[in-house]
């Protein structure tokens, strides 16, 4: 997930948490400068076949409401 800092101050990702242990978010630990871009990488452990939809909650400093990211897809068994 790519994002841009359109604010006047550096943007800080305080935390990104997944709803389950099968999903792992990676987020920048350094502030994102005004006008610059950042990236949150979300990895899903596809251990079970079938459809999935997982949420990651991202909390930015100085922003009250968290941002919810959703990944979804379908794991197809190897033939």
């Amino acid at each position: 997930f790519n994002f841009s800092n359109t604010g006047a101050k550096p943007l800080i990702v305080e935390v990104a948490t997944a709803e389950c242990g099968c999903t792992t978010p990676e987020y920048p630990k350094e502030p994102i400068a005004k006008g610059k871009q950042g990236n949150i990488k979300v990895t899903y452990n596809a251990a079970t076949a079938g459809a999935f939809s997982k949420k990651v909650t991202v909390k930015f400093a100085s922003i009250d409401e968290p941002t919810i990211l959703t990944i979804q897809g379908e794991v197809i068994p190897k033939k």
Side-chain angles (χ1 to χ4, degrees), residues 28-62:
K29 306 301 189 258
E30 67 282 347
I32 307 301
K34 174 185 172 183
K36 299 296 181 182
Q37 294 186 339
N39 179 273
I40 297 174
K41 179 181 176 182
V42 181
T43 305
Y44 175 70
N45 179 357
T48 306
F52 68 90
S53 179
K54 301 296 178 184
K55 292 183 182 355
V56 173
T57 302
V58 181
K59 177 65 178 92
F60 292 98
S62 302

